[in-house]
Amino acid sequence: MARLDAIDKKTVQKIETLAESVLRSVKGGKNPFLEIPVRSLANVQFNPRKRLIELKDQKQKRYFFNVSMAKKFMQTFLVSEACKELIDAGKTTSIRDLYYMTKHALGETRQNTFEEQEESDPIIEDLEVAIDALREELHLFASGRGSMVGPLSIRDAGDAIDLRRMGSGGWSVPSIVEEHVVQFGKSEARYVLLIEKDAVWKRFNEDKFWAREKCIIVTGLGQPPRGVRRIVQRLHSELGLPVYVLVDNDPWGFYIYSVLKQGSINLAYESMRMAVPKARFIGLSSFDKAKFKLPGNVSIRMNDQDDARAKQMLAYPWFKDPKWQREIQEMVRSGEKYELEALSRRGISFITEEYLPKKLRDRDWLE
C-alpha cells in the first residue's frame, strides 16, 4: 500500500463512511440505501452572491431491495471499491480503464455489471457528488487536453518544470492537477489568459506575448476540460492572478466563458472548485468590428441554431447585466459572428501586438 497524503486519506474516509452507513442499515435489518443529490436542471440554481451555479438540496434515495435501483446501487459500490484500491496503491487510471476494471459477469448469469462505458461514467459522477470529492481525488482522469506557458515554475509529479522553457507546444496540462500532483513554485505572472483556440494560442506563444506581458497563456482547445479549468481556478485562488478569457464572438465562445466563470449545469456540484467568478471576458466582442475596423467579408452569418442559442442566453441569470444584454443583443441584431482569426485580416500579429494590448490598456472587458 502506498503512503497516503492528507487528501487521499480524507477521500478514503469518505468512501468508508459511505460503506459503513450501508452496513449499519443491513445489521439493523433495514433496506440499505444511498442518498445522492439530484443532478438535473430542476435541482440547479444560480447563486448571485457567489456568482456560481450550484446544486440545490434535492436528493434521491437509491435502495438495494428495489428492482429498478439494485443494479445502480451495486455499480456505485463497485466503482467506489475500485477507486479505494487505486488510492491505496497510489495509482491513477482513466475512466475508460475503470469501466473495464469493474466490468464482469454476475455469478453464473450472462448479465454484466456494466454493458457500456455510458453506464459507468454517470456512476462516477454519482459517487463524486455523494461523497463530495472531485473525480481527480478518486484517482481517475479523462484524456488530457490543453497547453500552458508563462513565467511560472511548477512541480509536476515531483519533476521541476520551468514553464518559460516549453518550446512551441507548451506544457501539456494533465487531467489531474490537484495539489498532490502539481505544485506552484516561483511566479512572475501578472495574470492568466485563457485562449479558446489552439491556433490562436500558438500565435501568442510564437510572438512571446507571455514574456512581454508577464502572463500565463493557456488553452483548452475549445471548451476547456476539467484539468484546464481546475488549473486556472487554482492559479486564480492560490496565486491571486486575474483571469481573462479570449474566445470567438459567437454563442459557443460566450458559453465557454460562462462555464469558466460560474460553472456548468452538468457539473454544478463542482463549481466551487472549477469556476472563477471574477473571470473577465476580453473578446472577441460584438462591437469590435467597428472599433478595430474589421472588413465585412470576415464575418460569418449566424444560422438558426446560433440565433436561438444567443436568445436563450439573454434569459440566463448570469447574463442579466445590462452590458452583457447589450453585447448579446448586438450579435442577434447584426446576425453576424466572428472568429478570433478574423483579426489576422489586420495583420498576422495584430491580435498580440495591438488588439489585446489595447483591450487591457483601456480595461475594455466584460465581467
Side-chain angles (χ1 to χ4, degrees):
M1 180 183 295
R3 182 178 178 181
L4 305 185
D5 63 18
I7 294 175
D8 285 341
K9 287 178 181 178
K10 188 174 181 180
T11 305
V12 167
Q13 185 179 33
K14 289 177 179 179
I15 294 173
E16 291 175 343
T17 299
L18 185 70
E20 288 164 0
S21 68
V22 170
L23 282 175
R24 281 195 299 271
S25 295
V26 173
K27 290 177 179 178
K30 299 176 181 178
N31 187 0
F33 66 87
L34 297 170
E35 199 169 50
I36 300 173
V38 175
R39 293 182 289 106
S40 70
L41 181 59
N43 196 39
V44 167
Q45 67 182 1
F46 178 65
N47 186 322
R49 183 178 62 82
K50 296 180 181 178
R51 298 164 74 184
L52 290 173
I53 295 175
E54 298 178 330
L55 274 184
K56 292 192 283 190
D57 56 5
Q58 185 180 349
K59 295 182 180 181
Q60 62 179 0
K61 289 184 178 180
R62 185 172 291 168
Y63 289 93
F64 178 63
F65 293 114
N66 183 299
V67 175
S68 65
M69 300 180 183
K71 186 174 182 180
K72 284 190 176 181
F73 185 99
M74 172 271 296
Q75 290 171 334
T76 305
F77 278 99
L78 273 178
V79 168
S80 62
E81 180 185 28
C83 289
K84 183 179 181 301
E85 290 176 0
L86 286 170
I87 297 170
D88 287 342
K91 296 181 182 295
T92 62
T93 196
S94 69
I95 57 176
R96 183 66 173 172
D97 271 345
L98 186 84
Y99 159 64
Y100 282 111
M101 285 170 60
T102 54
K103 180 177 181 176
H104 57 78
L106 291 169
E108 302 299 320
T109 73
R110 294 184 178 182
Q111 181 74 32
N112 289 319
T113 52
F114 294 102
E115 296 299 334
E116 302 290 343
Q117 188 180 337
E118 286 71 19
E119 274 190 274
S120 62
D121 285 358
I123 297 298
I124 294 169
E125 293 175 358
D126 285 344
L127 182 60
E128 284 182 275
V129 71
I131 67 173
D132 188 27
L134 285 168
R135 176 187 301 173
E136 293 76 13
E137 292 170 345
L138 295 169
H139 283 218
L140 299 175
F141 60 83
S143 298
R145 191 179 79 243
S147 301
M148 189 165 88
V149 295
L152 172 69
S153 297
I154 65 170
R155 293 194 74 83
D156 179 1
D159 295 327
I161 297 173
D162 185 347
L163 296 187
R164 302 168 184 81
R165 296 176 171 83
M166 297 306 300
S168 61
W171 174 60
S172 181
V173 181
S175 176
I176 300 179
V177 294
E178 297 308 303
E179 293 91 334
H180 65 285
V181 177
V182 177
Q183 300 90 38
F184 300 139
K186 182 181 178 182
S187 171
E188 296 176 3
R190 297 188 296 119
Y191 61 85
V192 177
L193 178 65
L194 176 67
I195 302 168
E196 176 183 352
K197 294 180 170 179
D198 180 56
V200 179
W201 180 90
K202 282 182 166 62
R203 168 52 47 212
F204 276 79
N205 189 26
E206 184 176 299
D207 290 355
K208 292 293 187 288
F209 179 89
W210 55 268
R212 188 168 70 247
E213 279 284 321
K214 292 198 180 306
C215 68
I216 295 167
I217 61 171
V218 58
T219 181
L221 286 74
Q223 177 67 294
R226 291 167 58 127
V228 169
R229 288 170 57 191
R230 180 64 173 148
I231 199 80
V232 169
Q233 196 273 346
R234 286 191 59 205
L235 288 167
H236 172 73
S237 61
E238 296 175 28
L239 301 185
L241 299 179
V243 174
Y244 298 92
V245 181
L246 183 64
V247 292
D248 285 342
N249 175 242
D250 61 18
W252 177 247
F254 289 0
Y255 176 71
I256 289 173
Y257 167 73
S258 73
V259 166
L260 182 83
K261 187 176 179 69
Q262 67 271 317
S264 66
I265 293 171
N266 290 340
L267 293 177
Y269 58 94
E270 293 187 348
S271 294
M272 289 295 294
R273 292 173 286 199
M274 291 285 186
V276 182
K278 293 184 179 179
R280 295 161 172 167
F281 173 89
I282 202 162
L284 193 61
S285 166
S286 300
F287 297 95
D288 284 342
K289 174 185 176 180
K291 192 178 298 182
F292 292 93
K293 298 181 175 59
L294 295 178
N297 61 7
V298 299
S299 69
I300 301 172
R301 293 299 302 173
M302 289 174 62
N303 57 35
D304 291 343
Q305 187 177 8
D306 292 329
D307 186 70
R309 183 72 171 126
K311 289 176 179 176
Q312 186 181 41
M313 286 179 166
L314 287 169
Y316 288 170
W318 46 92
F319 281 133
K320 282 299 184 182
D321 182 280
K323 292 180 180 178
W324 266 112
Q325 290 285 300
R326 178 173 173 264
E327 178 73 29
I328 299 172
Q329 286 169 358
E330 173 61 19
M331 176 184 290
V332 173
R333 185 204 64 77
S334 70
E336 297 176 335
K337 58 184 181 180
Y338 295 83
E339 294 185 302
L340 287 167
E341 290 90 337
L343 292 166
S344 296
R345 184 65 179 79
R346 294 288 313 277
I348 190 64
S349 293
F350 178 78
I351 191 171
T352 62
E353 295 176 357
E354 296 186 52
Y355 176 82
L356 204 64
K358 178 173 173 55
K359 285 259 184 175
L360 290 165
R361 206 165 49 241
D362 297 346
R363 300 177 64 85
D364 183 13
W365 56 69
L366 291 173
E367 295 188 76

